[in-house]
Amino acid sequence: MKPLRGISSMAPRVLLAELAATYAGHPVSFEAAGGLDVASRLRAGEVFDVVVLAADAIEGLIADGCLLAGSRVDLARSGIAVAVPCGAERPDIATEAAVRDAVLAAGAVAISSGPSGRALTALFERWGIAGQIAERVICPPPGVPVGAWVAEGRATLGFQQRSELIHVAGIDVVGSLPSEIQVDTVFSAGIGAGSVQVPEVRRLLAFMTSPQADDAKRREGMSPA
């Protein structure tokens, strides 16, 4: 029995590994890479049975014919959290104003190249501070967690999906962004246009969207979609 071949962006990788290990149906194996790299590989013709990315990326791949039309299913929501180096003073992030002050006071601010980074960039622009902090905002390459740069001391403040930050050693997760500026990313799955095991993929996705998968999503810093 040939395992289903899956690929995802970095944020849901631990969740998908857990779900793949507990799924009692067809064997499945996921690899993970930066979201931009995943999309590039699909557009270059690489074949996967199932792909998990942010919802807008899945829609783009469907539009490009890389994934089956109508195959998108929403799996989980993930909010943005804030991290500092382990043992560092934890800034106040209880309100929008407090987060803005923390960003302005930080020596270097790390954001991702994925959905959370785009959301933070838009937020900095809305606050009118994008130009002021431009030289202090750093972005690890796709596939490198923001938390890794925070742990190394390259950044004093980091923003990324909670699901990514909670698995990085050497950092303290201060908490999630306050509700007024929180941006939830919906991670969705799509079926590869070249898959020859579509019925098996549909059964896998039915499991991954069922109540059986909810506890794993919460453990990994996400919530059911």
Side-chain angles (χ1 to χ4, degrees):
M1 185 182 295
K2 184 179 179 180
L4 298 176
R5 187 182 184 212
I7 191 168
S8 76
S9 53
M10 300 300 288
R13 68 189 183 283
V14 179
L15 168 64
L16 294 174
E18 179 175 347
L19 293 179
T22 58
Y23 179 53
H26 200 92
V28 56
S29 176
F30 280 95
E31 65 175 286
L36 297 176
D37 291 340
V38 173
S40 294
R41 289 168 65 178
L42 267 291
R43 290 188 172 103
E46 196 166 350
V47 176
F48 293 93
D49 296 297
V50 57
V51 180
V52 179
L53 296 169
D56 59 347
I58 291 293
E59 287 295 337
L61 289 168
I62 289 174
D64 289 345
C66 301
L67 300 176
L68 292 182
S71 69
R72 171 187 157 189
V73 295
D74 296 337
L75 302 180
R77 296 180 181 273
S78 181
I80 300 170
V82 184
V84 296
C86 189
E89 182 178 355
R90 298 184 177 212
D92 177 10
I93 60 167
T95 65
E96 178 175 353
V99 176
R100 183 178 184 275
D101 289 344
V103 169
L104 288 171
V109 178
I111 62 174
S112 81
S113 60
S116 64
R118 293 192 291 273
L120 265 297
T121 298
L123 183 63
F124 298 157
E125 291 173 352
R126 180 167 70 79
W127 284 342
I129 65 171
Q132 183 180 347
I133 65 172
E135 293 184 354
R136 294 187 284 117
V137 175
I138 58 177
C139 181
V144 177
V146 162
W149 279 21
V150 175
E152 293 169 8
R154 300 175 66 170
T156 53
L157 196 65
F159 295 86
Q160 198 166 26
Q161 307 291 339
R162 174 178 283 274
S163 59
E164 292 216 53
L165 293 175
I166 61 176
H167 294 291
V168 178
I171 65 172
D172 290 330
V173 179
V174 180
S176 297
L177 289 179
S179 59
E180 60 263 39
I181 55 172
Q182 180 60 271
V183 178
D184 283 332
T185 297
V186 175
F187 287 97
S188 304
I191 301 174
S195 175
V196 296
Q197 304 188 81
V198 173
E200 288 80 5
V201 180
R202 294 195 187 280
R203 282 190 282 272
L204 169 67
L205 296 182
F207 163 73
M208 293 170 67
T209 55
S210 74
Q212 291 174 273
D214 288 355
D215 285 346
K217 294 171 186 177
R218 295 187 181 99
R219 277 195 300 274
E220 299 305 333
M222 298 184 172
S223 60

